[in-house]
Amino acid sequence: MVLHAHLPFVRHPEHPDALEEAWLYEAMAECYIPLLDRLERLAEEGVPYHLSFTLTPTLAAMLRDPLLQERFRRHVALMQDLGRRELHRTRHHPELHRLARFHADHWDRVALLYHDRYRGDLITPLARLQEAGRVEILASAATHGYLPLMDVVPQAVEAQIAVGVHAYRELFGRQPRGFWLPECGFHPGHDQILRRHGVEYTIVDAHGLLFGQPRPPHAVYQPVVTGAGLAVFGRDWESSKQVWSATEGYPGDPAYRDFYRDIGWDLDWEYIKPYLRAGIRGNTGFKYHRITGPTPHKELYDPDAARERARVHAGNFVFNRAKQVEYLAGGMDDPPVVLAPYDAELFGHWWFEGPDFLEDVLRFMAANPSVRTTTPGRHLDRLTQLALVEPTLSSWGYKGYNEVWLEGSNDWIYRHLHKAAERMVELARRFPEAQGLQRRALNQAARELLLAQASDWAFIMKTGTMVEYARRRTVEHLERFHTLYHDLLRGTIDGYRLGLLEERDNLFPFLDYRVYAPQPVPAPQAAGG
């Protein structure tokens, strides 16, 4: 199982109550902290498990940012206050009062963990789990740029990968073995870039392997190796669908908490207004109803029934995986591997009971004689030979290719992104040994380009949520880049304005603009023999 933890870089020091920063706070409170809590509990109890994570550089930068850490603390305190008010408001309604107590306890637990156990640092406990051999953390691209559509300027792809690997080494003090391609977006030839930066393996969607040349001998149930020496794992559709699908998978069960029904929408405006971001109705995390079914009428949520349902679903998931590997093993020499990647935010944010489900899956796997959890790196270490296959262009997006990130709502961005990338390469060549203010401006230009390239903006434009924000972020980063570009060429860098940009878009303090004009590096020896 691979959990892909990612959010775009959203940090607005100029706004004390930026609406979009709630994406981070919700994911921290509902997903990252509950997952860490359960993984640490399993480790303390001696339950054997192995799990893979990706922690994208943008998410890591936000989790480590003092401003966002302090704002999250204030957010948690505000939700604790709402919990106390809800306990008072529902005191004469036993069923609602029980649900108010459940949610108030959740926020108290989040506060306890974040303040007392983790001291505001969610990355160090994850690193400790990796050092203990429980977790394997993959690197990812600098700002989650969708690499297949950046291939027009190969140096742009190289920079996304190089900065992502560097960010990983800064965080964890070691070289990453695996690399998560944003959106599982593979483009032929990118395996050579990954190998240049020491990456041993990556993951593609099933058809990326199945339509490769030649066809893989064991479908997606063994990794293959490319001519460049990169090991490639394929996503298993069956295990993915059981957990991903809201209609056919576990998360759509009527007993589970309904994501969309929230007191931020239901309660009186004057009562709830102090707890809403930017004075706009939205989710608070206090959700008192269950999915119930495809009907506007929603029954009250029963946490105990939902917890038991998660346990049943976890047992079903492990049973199915055991039967799956027993069947597959009959036609294979090496043990089959079932690779199941998911967005980490599914577990807790979109599917509230997801962390409970995952904990139970890991417990049941540990007790099952037919199947066990592993990581891509551990599995590679067991193999002596891999089949040579060249994967095809693919992604895990709608229809399996580039359509989500290249269609009528977002296609306008690419000519601008490509032009900016070409100009960044030009700057790196023109100023090979810049120092002082000039070097700072070149590094910030690279930073703004990377931020403009985030796949999230095109995705948001496609899905129709927060479109104006996504458009504005794309345009603003490009405008900042081009301003710096022209200032550098004219020799008229405004130090004050540059300082403001460095403070606002402050990720990747190690960034060296010369990543856009790197020296050739020999590819390491092929992975997997």
Side-chain angles (χ1 to χ4, degrees):
M1 300 181 78
V2 181
L3 304 188
H4 172 53
H6 165 67
L7 287 173
F9 187 75
V10 176
R11 179 182 182 273
H12 291 288
E14 74 279 14
H15 295 303
D17 198 26
L19 186 65
E20 295 78 18
E21 285 180 7
W23 300 344
L24 174 66
Y25 308 148
E26 290 172 358
M28 290 171 70
E30 297 171 350
C31 173
Y32 309 145
I33 291 173
L35 283 176
L36 273 176
D37 186 25
R38 285 158 174 80
L39 293 178
E40 288 185 327
R41 179 163 63 219
L42 290 170
E44 290 165 1
E45 294 177 12
V47 177
Y49 71 86
H50 300 286
L51 187 68
S52 298
F53 265 91
T54 67
L55 184 68
T56 62
T58 49
L59 174 58
M62 291 189 292
L63 292 176
R64 280 277 171 92
D65 185 80
L67 173 68
L68 295 176
Q69 289 174 337
E70 178 55 33
R71 287 182 173 182
F72 178 67
R73 290 187 183 96
R74 293 205 301 266
H75 174 72
V76 172
L78 189 66
M79 292 302 101
Q80 287 182 286
D81 182 65
L82 177 58
R84 289 187 287 270
R85 289 198 66 187
E86 278 297 279
L87 287 171
H88 179 77
R89 184 183 72 85
T90 61
R91 65 192 184 279
H92 301 306
H93 305 276
E95 288 184 310
L96 283 177
H97 190 72
R98 177 172 175 256
L99 289 166
R101 169 61 65 191
F102 175 80
H103 286 81
D105 288 348
H106 165 78
W107 283 104
D108 288 343
R109 177 69 176 167
V110 167
L112 177 70
L113 291 170
Y114 191 70
H115 302 327
D116 297 344
R117 182 191 293 186
Y118 302 136
R119 305 288 181 183
D121 178 8
L122 300 186
I123 294 175
T124 297
L126 190 61
R128 282 199 298 263
L129 288 170
Q130 177 161 253
E131 293 301 322
R134 300 283 188 167
V135 163
E136 183 170 295
I137 306 171
L138 288 73
S140 190
T143 58
H144 213 257
Y146 184 64
L147 303 183
L149 293 180
M150 295 170 58
D151 202 62
V152 172
V153 184
Q155 232 20 79
V157 178
E158 183 103 29
Q160 281 277 347
I161 292 171
V163 175
V165 170
H166 192 150
Y168 184 99
R169 290 199 298 263
E170 291 282 329
L171 277 175
F172 301 110
R174 57 160 71 180
Q175 170 71 17
R177 298 189 65 182
F179 190 97
W180 177 270
L181 294 167
E183 319 296 357
C184 288
F186 180 83
H187 189 289
H190 291 179
D191 53 328
Q192 299 175 28
I193 302 175
L194 290 167
R195 288 301 290 147
R196 269 203 299 277
H197 293 281
V199 173
E200 295 179 37
Y201 71 84
T202 193
I203 297 164
V204 300
D205 208 337
H207 58 292
L209 273 194
L210 296 178
F211 297 158
Q213 293 296 326
R215 297 294 177 91
H218 299 297
V220 297
Y221 301 110
Q222 280 296 359
V224 301
V225 66
T226 72
L230 182 73
V232 181
F233 289 80
R235 178 193 187 197
D236 172 59
W237 270 99
E238 184 179 336
S239 57
S240 296
K241 191 176 182 181
Q242 277 190 295
V243 177
W244 262 115
S245 175
T247 54
E248 301 174 57
Y250 306 129
D253 190 276
Y256 289 142
R257 197 180 75 163
D258 190 279
F259 174 80
Y260 298 99
R261 190 74 182 270
D262 188 290
I263 67 171
W265 302 97
D266 288 351
L267 296 188
D268 178 75
W269 171 251
E270 292 301 324
Y271 173 85
I272 203 66
K273 180 182 177 181
Y275 305 99
L276 300 175
R277 300 193 67 78
I280 299 173
R281 280 199 182 270
N283 291 336
T284 63
F286 285 73
K287 305 172 192 288
Y288 296 160
H289 296 82
R290 60 186 179 90
I291 292 172
T292 309
T295 169
H297 173 72
K298 303 296 181 182
E299 301 287 343
L300 287 179
Y301 179 58
D302 183 343
D304 294 333
R307 181 68 188 87
E308 180 57 30
R309 202 73 189 130
R311 188 174 289 110
V312 170
H313 283 154
N316 177 259
F317 182 84
V318 174
F319 174 82
N320 288 337
R321 298 292 73 73
K323 291 301 180 183
Q324 185 180 14
V325 298
E326 286 173 7
Y327 171 77
L328 292 168
M332 299 173 63
D333 295 329
D334 291 313
V337 61
V338 177
L339 191 131
Y342 311 100
D343 277 340
E345 293 77 21
L346 171 68
F347 296 88
H349 178 59
W350 299 105
W351 178 20
F352 182 72
E353 297 79 10
D356 293 326
F357 167 85
L358 183 64
E359 179 182 0
D360 288 338
V361 163
L362 296 177
R363 289 184 185 279
F364 295 159
M365 284 271 188
N368 192 298
S370 301
V371 62
R372 62 169 177 256
T373 54
T374 189
T375 65
R378 292 175 67 89
H379 188 71
L380 279 178
D381 290 341
R382 300 181 59 182
L383 303 177
T384 57
Q385 191 170 3
L386 303 179
L388 182 65
V389 176
E390 300 296 340
T392 188
L393 188 147
S394 54
S395 80
W396 74 351
Y398 177 61
K399 296 184 181 178
Y401 297 98
N402 296 340
E403 181 175 326
V404 171
W405 302 276
L406 181 63
E407 51 86 55
S409 68
N410 54 33
D411 56 5
W412 62 272
I413 69 176
Y414 290 99
R415 62 186 181 273
H416 303 292
L417 293 175
H418 297 331
K419 185 63 176 179
E422 290 170 357
R423 285 181 163 181
M424 191 65 233
V425 173
E426 175 196 341
L427 290 174
R429 289 173 177 162
R430 186 181 288 239
F431 304 101
E433 298 295 337
Q435 298 297 326
L437 189 66
Q438 189 181 66
R439 185 182 185 89
R440 285 172 51 200
L442 287 160
N443 288 340
Q444 191 63 30
R447 203 170 278 120
E448 298 298 341
L449 173 58
L450 290 169
L451 288 167
Q453 291 170 333
S455 69
D456 309 270
W457 313 138
F459 180 82
I460 291 171
M461 293 176 207
K462 161 67 175 175
T463 57
T465 61
M466 308 292 287
V467 172
E468 285 309 309
Y469 180 76
R471 290 175 63 92
R472 177 162 57 85
R473 286 293 301 272
T474 303
V475 170
E476 285 181 352
H477 290 303
L478 286 170
E479 285 179 341
R480 292 169 193 167
F481 170 83
H482 288 301
T483 298
L484 289 166
Y485 169 80
H486 290 297
D487 286 351
L488 281 158
L489 294 189
R490 290 192 296 256
T492 58
I493 301 167
D494 184 329
Y496 176 75
R497 185 174 63 195
L498 175 60
L500 292 177
L501 290 180
E502 290 171 326
E503 198 285 324
R504 175 180 293 186
D505 299 329
N506 65 346
L507 74 176
F508 310 147
F510 57 82
L511 183 60
D512 185 337
Y513 70 95
R514 290 174 297 183
V515 72
Y516 284 91
Q519 298 299 311
V521 178
Q525 185 179 353

